[in-house]
Amino acid sequence: MEKIQNQKAWFLVLPALAVLFIFSAVIPLMTVVNYSVQDIFGQDYANAFFVGTEWFRDTIRDPELQAAFGRQLAFSVITLLIQIPLGVAIALAMPTRGIMVSVALVLVSLPLLIPWNVVGTGWLLFTRPDIGLLGVALNELGLDYNIQRNPVDAWLTVLVMDVWHWTSLTVLLAYAGLRAIPGAYYQAARVDGASRWAIFRYVELPRMRGVLLIAILLRFMDSFKLYAEPFVLTGGGPGTTTTFLSQYLATIGVGQFDLGRAAAFSLVYFLFILALSWLFYTVITRMDRE
Amino acid sequence: MRIRTSHIGLAAYLIFLILPLYWMINLSLQPNHEILGSFSLYPERYTFQNYITLVTDASWYGSYLNSITYVLLNMAISLTVALPAAYAFSRFSFLGDKHLFFWLLTNRMAPPAVFLLPFFQLYQNIGLYDTHLAVALAHALFNVPLAIWILEGFMRGIPKEIDETAYIDGYSFSRFFVTIFIPLIRGGIGVTAFFVFVFSWVELLLARTLTATNARPFSVTMTQTISATGIDWGLLAAAGVVTMIPGAVVIWFVRNNLARGLSLGRV
Amino acid sequence: MARIEFDDVAHSYSGRPQSEADYALKPIAHTWDDGGAYALLGPSGCGKTTLLNITSGLVTPSQGRVLFDGEDVTAMPPEKRNIAQVFQFPVLYDTMTVEENLAFPLRNRGAPKAHVRKRVRAVAEMLELEGMLGRKAANLGAEEKQKISMGRGLVRDDVAAILFDEPLTVIDPHMKWVLRRKLRQIHAEFGHTLIYVTHDQTEALTFADKVVVMDDGRLVQTGTPQELFENPAHTFVGYFIGSPGMNFLPCRIEGEAARVTPEVAIPLPETLARRAARLSGALELGIRPSRMEVAPTADEGHCTATAETVEDLGSYALCLVTIGSRRVRVRVPEGRRVQPGERLGLRFPQEWVRLYCDNELVE
């Protein structure tokens, strides 16, 4: 749609900006910038002194942070590699007609509507070796499954939990993409003698490209914010095996009140997300134009 | 209907989704000593005692009301400011509009952990710490951008000839917006409200950091069920179950627009 | 290539049809002869596309049998039927090049490489797509896209029939004409059976050797364009074909004439009048506007009419006239000027007068 040039439109945007500026984004972010270049002892803000980029150097060299970042990246990539194909497969299997459509949609959406910490709680209840269905079942099968003790178990459980929690997003997006394909495409493909695979490869996948890009970018970014679920399920352990970026940040920030380090870390973290957002935005605006 | 592999796959996935939830419901209907005493796949002697505790103990139902309060407050704030802003983005081009739209997105994407400290200090300084308003405003960080993005997607679908006709007919902007435009996109507003509600409802980190006792959210109360005698698993499960209620109650109405909301209006 | 027969085929989209109205396609028996160029003509929603999809196998009819050269293919899916179909809107495989699009139906069937290449070249040449074979199909205009869709239909030289479902809807008028001619040429050259669905009579009449007219889920008439024009088997055909459609005047038989108003009786051929006299249904007299003649003066001819409106269409004028309480349209040849309100003498040439009983032609 051709838009009208009108600077007065700013007035319409103003209330939203005011809220975000003051309470949510800009002023708080400025505080972070401010802390990131100062050394503050305890909470004695008056005697803070300027330390330049020292915190940033510290942050980047911090081996624990590097480890957390590595874990985070590995986690995000793996969970995406599972969720996207699985989500597409489920979307392809979803019913297309009748009341079952609504029932399946609602069931699939359920995990998305549960508070994130409750997702952790639910999985804690589900996987405990003494009272959890999965925990008990696996131990009955002779596996020594215990997420409090065994890092591999903890890691895999957090991964499965994330798949449980978020695959539905890909399912819903891919399903919407599939529903938007006109019937003529399928009819033509059938007349052309295309196999089921060829229909998927040449009709469905290209037409889902847009929604899948959105799904990948959103899931990648959101998985970088992962916090509450592993916090409740494993507390980041055993050791630090399931401590991801947000939890590490929360630990040094609110936990240890290490303001400078937390602030520098926040900014690096934020810039990383910013770069991803930029990618997302570029893709979206290009799609909107098409 | 023929049973195919895909049906089996879908059924398996749905069972995978439902099992942990079933288990939570199962545990919530048992007293704690029974949970720890014997393992059973279904509640043999079911009891609603856990739920009765939730509705009679002030710290439980009080914090549930706290959560509902700040979520509704956030919904009101987000929709109020997002509606005109989304309209501006969908209809006009103005100085810096694209940058602004991008900046909004970055707020939706930003990890709340980054804002933890400054929020804590900001709200303490302006005396809002431990109020519902503080959480509602903090959640505006991601919900205002979310609402603007989703609403803009819906508004673009309304031909601008409708606006023009209304202006020609002598409507003022505010009258047109309230009496014509808003009713036209009420479906979109419903979906947006749903997602704003959900994302505020599911958030824990900010809500926990900005509150202490007066506005303590339900999910924080849940993290404190660990007492000297250990964790009351049945009660915890029951608490988990009741957090599913708000979403489950309204999802039916927006089921066909879920993808649109989740993709920021871009499907 | 094959002869395609419909043996008592009917289809309803509702699972349990209660009455005749639930049928999108009412029971029909019909044959598409091998090598024919057919047009399937009818208003929107008359069941044309259903009939087409039953032919290609996209829809399995709720009753009856479909036979290809005598073989029952009713339950056979489209990919096995050897049918090509072109849809209303261009359907392309976006990620493929033009060449890959054209080759797709052949490759799916495992045709040898050399054959694929040969056929793709041939079709590209036919449709003047040679220059763009290497381009991504997604970036082309609507016209090229539809040409490629058609090309995918034409690329298999062994198809039993090629079905076109209003393929030129998105093409602009001039190009429509060009593409239609192209199809005619291809038909003449290769002799495929072509079935062309349209709601546009010009398209149907200029494309087809035989036109099949449908209305409300029924086949009402099959014939050459001339037959449809001169001898509509059903009032619907008379009204639907020709612009404007046939005039119909309710009448009753009096001796050897049809009385259309208390004052006016039109003389009929003797055999027709005798046959009609034995029928009990509602009778109508039908005549094409172009077949009526305007007499030199108002007092000549079979009746006197009053001109109401006159539409000048260049080489002729179209005149709406009243005969008593009835209205008919008359084509007035060039050179004869008619003013609104003018009284005209009209002649109904016997060879062009048709009689319909309960909408069916009396023969």
Side-chain angles (χ1 to χ4, degrees):
Chain A
M1 172 162 25
E2 200 51 47
K3 290 181 189 175
I4 308 155
Q5 183 87 28
N6 186 347
Q7 303 303 343
K8 281 189 205 140
W10 262 97
F11 288 109
L12 297 173
V13 190
L14 221 49
L17 289 192
V19 169
L20 286 175
F21 247 81
I22 300 165
F23 296 106
S24 306
V26 175
I27 290 183
L29 198 62
M30 283 304 116
T31 334
V32 180
V33 174
N34 190 23
Y35 288 158
S36 72
V37 292
Q38 299 188 61
D39 200 351
I40 304 162
F41 297 101
Q43 295 200 50
D44 183 6
Y45 302 103
N47 291 319
F49 61 89
F50 185 73
V51 293
T53 57
E54 201 175 301
W55 289 123
F56 289 93
R57 258 176 288 150
D58 263 21
T59 301
I60 292 167
R61 289 194 194 127
D62 176 3
E64 268 191 63
L65 192 144
Q66 287 171 0
F69 185 81
R71 271 194 296 276
Q72 179 76 70
L73 197 62
F75 179 82
S76 295
V77 169
I78 295 172
T79 187
L80 236 71
L81 284 178
I82 299 171
Q83 286 182 24
I84 302 295
L86 180 62
V88 171
I90 299 297
L92 288 170
M94 289 276 280
T96 52
R97 264 195 300 254
I99 185 75
M100 280 313 290
V101 175
S102 298
V103 172
L105 279 179
V106 169
L107 281 181
V108 163
S109 322
L110 274 181
L112 301 171
L113 310 175
I114 302 173
W116 295 344
N117 64 305
V118 176
V119 171
T121 307
W123 275 81
L124 184 67
L125 296 170
F126 190 53
T127 57
R128 277 188 63 99
D130 53 350
I131 60 167
L133 181 60
L134 185 69
V136 170
L138 288 177
N139 280 295
E140 284 293 312
L141 289 173
L143 298 167
D144 179 26
Y145 173 82
N146 188 332
I147 58 170
Q148 315 293 338
R149 279 206 315 267
N150 191 338
V152 176
D153 292 354
W155 222 86
L156 286 179
T157 306
V158 172
L159 191 66
V160 173
M161 175 176 68
D162 200 64
V163 168
W164 182 86
H165 191 181
W166 286 110
T167 302
S168 299
L169 183 128
T170 308
V171 175
L172 293 172
L173 293 186
Y175 184 72
L178 285 172
R179 291 276 69 76
I181 301 175
Y185 279 80
Y186 288 102
Q187 298 183 341
R190 287 184 69 189
V191 171
D192 287 342
S195 61
R196 184 68 192 86
W197 167 252
I199 290 176
F200 175 70
R201 171 68 187 78
Y202 297 113
V203 177
E204 293 174 329
L205 203 55
R207 302 250 135 198
M208 279 195 286
R209 201 195 55 152
V211 286
L212 285 184
L213 267 175
I214 293 179
I216 291 169
L217 286 164
L218 275 178
R219 277 314 299 134
F220 193 64
M221 275 182 282
D222 283 352
S223 74
F224 260 79
K225 304 197 289 189
L226 183 70
Y227 173 79
E229 304 95 309
F231 175 75
V232 174
L233 181 63
T234 64
T240 54
T241 43
T242 53
T243 301
F244 299 107
L245 284 178
S246 275
Q247 196 183 334
Y248 186 61
L249 178 55
T251 313
I252 56 176
V254 188
Q256 304 164 3
F257 248 92
D258 198 344
L259 294 185
R261 232 152 65 84
F265 178 10
S266 294
L267 285 181
V268 174
Y269 194 1
F270 191 72
L271 286 178
F272 185 77
I273 294 287
L274 200 70
L276 286 177
S277 302
W278 176 249
L279 185 70
F280 182 94
Y281 183 75
T282 317
V283 169
I284 292 285
T285 42
R286 187 166 306 160
M287 270 168 40
D288 282 355
R289 242 178 286 136
E290 282 171 15
Chain B
M1 195 167 66
R2 214 154 49 89
I3 300 287
R4 278 179 292 174
T5 349
S6 65
H7 293 137
I8 297 169
L10 179 66
Y13 178 72
L14 291 179
I15 289 170
F16 166 62
L17 287 190
I18 289 166
L19 266 187
L21 299 177
Y22 165 74
W23 196 247
M24 196 152 74
I25 294 169
N26 173 31
L27 294 185
S28 76
L29 294 171
Q30 302 177 35
N32 203 38
H33 59 86
E34 201 165 307
I35 295 174
L36 294 169
S38 66
F39 181 83
S40 62
L41 290 174
Y42 55 92
E44 273 158 13
R45 277 195 305 276
Y46 62 86
T47 167
F48 291 103
Q49 190 52 48
N50 294 320
Y51 291 98
I52 292 168
T53 308
L54 292 182
V55 293
T56 51
D57 183 335
S59 75
W60 280 110
Y61 71 78
S63 62
Y64 200 82
L65 290 179
N66 285 340
S67 290
I68 296 276
T69 309
Y70 71 69
V71 166
L72 290 178
L73 205 55
N74 171 267
M75 223 165 94
I77 295 170
S78 300
L79 285 179
T80 311
V81 301
L83 274 168
Y87 181 78
F89 283 116
S90 76
R91 289 296 191 266
F92 305 116
S93 91
F94 49 94
L95 199 64
D97 55 350
K98 290 187 182 64
H99 300 99
L100 213 54
F101 206 52
F102 169 64
W103 174 72
L104 285 172
L105 180 74
T106 66
N107 288 315
R108 154 69 180 76
M109 301 304 178
V114 168
F115 293 92
L116 220 50
L117 260 181
F119 274 0
F120 180 69
Q121 294 182 326
L122 174 73
Y123 290 110
Q124 241 176 2
N125 286 336
I126 56 178
L128 283 177
Y129 178 74
D130 200 16
T131 63
H132 302 112
L133 189 60
V135 183
L137 285 170
H139 283 180
L141 168 70
F142 46 83
N143 269 348
V144 168
L146 178 82
I148 294 178
W149 270 67
I150 301 179
L151 285 172
E152 198 265 348
F154 276 97
M155 287 178 182
R156 257 188 318 170
I158 308 277
K160 71 166 186 271
E161 284 70 22
I162 289 182
D163 311 25
E164 283 157 7
T165 317
Y167 296 141
I168 291 168
D169 289 347
Y171 278 77
S172 67
F173 170 74
S174 47
R175 196 166 143 234
F176 155 75
F177 196 72
V178 175
T179 62
I180 296 180
F181 198 72
I182 287 187
L184 270 178
I185 56 154
R186 59 176 186 276
I189 295 176
V191 175
T192 312
F194 173 78
F195 278 95
V196 166
F197 183 93
V198 164
F199 280 102
S200 178
W201 181 253
V202 298
E203 206 277 339
L204 167 74
L205 189 53
L206 291 175
R208 191 186 62 185
T209 310
L210 296 179
T211 55
T213 50
N214 294 333
R216 185 171 65 198
F218 191 71
S219 43
V220 173
T221 309
M222 278 183 72
T223 63
Q224 294 166 351
T225 55
I226 309 156
S227 64
T229 56
I231 299 174
D232 188 342
W233 297 109
L235 189 58
L236 187 63
V241 172
V242 298
T243 60
M244 295 169 19
I245 293 171
V249 167
V250 278
I251 186 171
W252 187 262
F253 301 104
V254 296
R255 62 188 183 280
N256 296 321
N257 280 309
L258 286 167
R260 200 145 179 196
L262 288 169
S263 64
L264 304 174
R266 289 307 181 276
V267 165
Chain C
M1 306 201 191
R3 204 164 65 102
I4 302 171
E5 280 171 274
F6 279 31
D7 176 14
D8 190 35
V9 166
H11 187 68
S12 165
Y13 287 101
S14 74
R16 261 170 289 151
Q18 303 293 323
S19 67
E20 207 182 37
D22 289 339
Y23 280 90
L25 189 66
K26 282 150 197 150
I28 58 158
H30 180 70
T31 303
W32 308 107
D33 280 322
D34 190 9
Y38 290 94
L40 189 50
L41 176 67
S44 310
C46 72
K48 306 180 296 260
T49 299
T50 306
L51 183 60
L52 200 69
N53 287 344
I54 290 174
T55 311
S56 65
L58 288 170
V59 170
T60 307
S62 21
Q63 69 173 66
R65 296 186 308 156
V66 181
L67 307 170
F68 280 25
D69 277 339
E71 187 201 347
D72 188 342
V73 297
T74 317
M76 201 184 269
E79 55 271 29
K80 301 243 169 70
R81 274 198 195 183
N82 231 359
I83 282 262
Q85 188 166 0
V86 179
F87 297 86
Q88 187 167 14
F89 295 96
V91 175
L92 290 181
Y93 304 102
D94 297 348
T95 50
M96 298 186 194
T97 63
V98 175
E99 185 169 10
E100 288 164 338
N101 260 286
L102 292 175
F104 193 63
L106 293 175
R107 289 198 178 138
N108 284 328
R109 290 176 171 78
K113 274 207 172 84
H115 177 70
V116 172
R117 191 187 324 238
K118 199 184 86 199
R119 287 299 303 163
V120 168
R121 297 280 149 193
V123 167
E125 197 182 328
M126 258 185 242
L127 295 170
E128 292 157 26
L129 290 166
E130 304 105 308
M132 49 185 77
L133 281 177
R135 284 173 59 185
K136 272 261 184 289
N139 306 328
L140 301 172
E143 220 166 275
E144 275 87 21
K145 283 185 173 171
Q146 193 59 313
K147 276 198 202 169
I148 296 167
S149 299
M150 287 180 161
R152 279 209 321 276
L154 296 165
V155 76
R156 286 153 56 196
D157 47 8
D158 59 343
V159 286
I162 307 178
L163 316 181
F164 296 90
D165 191 357
E166 310 206 20
L168 302 180
T169 312
V170 291
I171 310 291
D172 70 50
H174 172 69
M175 205 55 210
K176 262 186 187 164
W177 186 81
V178 172
L179 282 176
R180 217 159 43 223
R181 254 194 34 181
K182 201 96 219 169
L183 278 178
R184 287 294 307 174
Q185 277 173 15
I186 292 169
H187 178 252
E189 208 172 319
F190 299 96
H192 293 297
T193 308
L194 302 186
I195 303 171
Y196 189 105
V197 164
T198 178
H199 62 264
D200 176 347
Q201 52 163 310
T202 325
E203 227 173 77
L205 300 178
T206 53
F207 173 82
D209 301 331
K210 275 213 170 152
V211 179
V212 177
V213 183
M214 285 189 74
D215 180 38
D216 194 22
R218 275 176 239 276
L219 293 187
V220 284
Q221 189 173 7
T222 304
T224 62
Q226 194 190 357
E227 281 165 5
L228 296 184
F229 189 79
E230 293 181 352
N231 279 313
H234 191 276
T235 49
F236 172 77
V237 179
Y239 145 85
F240 194 68
I241 304 242
S243 134
M246 205 175 214
N247 294 308
F248 291 103
L249 297 163
C251 64
R252 63 193 151 78
I253 302 296
E254 284 180 3
E256 281 184 20
R259 183 157 294 283
V260 293
T261 68
E263 293 78 31
V264 179
I266 312 291
L268 297 171
E270 195 191 323
T271 47
L272 182 60
R274 230 181 298 130
R275 218 170 293 146
R278 287 200 295 268
L279 297 170
S280 57
L283 284 177
E284 278 173 289
L285 179 149
I287 187 163
R288 293 275 176 199
S290 56
R291 300 303 190 201
M292 289 204 277
E293 288 165 13
V294 182
T297 65
D299 303 326
E300 292 175 73
H302 298 115
C303 69
T304 312
T306 313
E308 267 196 2
T309 58
V310 183
E311 246 180 293
D312 194 349
L313 296 170
S315 58
Y316 63 92
L318 200 59
C319 195
L320 182 68
V321 302
T322 49
I323 305 170
S325 61
R326 309 282 174 204
R327 289 171 146 192
V328 295
R329 283 175 202 280
V330 185
R331 192 165 140 160
V332 185
E334 203 177 12
R336 170 76 196 257
R337 295 214 160 273
V338 177
Q339 302 297 329
E342 189 178 334
R343 287 160 52 74
L344 301 169
L346 292 182
R347 259 206 289 269
F348 290 67
Q350 279 198 4
E351 69 264 43
W352 298 122
V353 172
R354 302 285 177 265
L355 268 187
Y356 292 86
C357 176
D358 288 337
N359 294 325
E360 307 276 351
L361 179 67
V362 180
E363 281 171 299

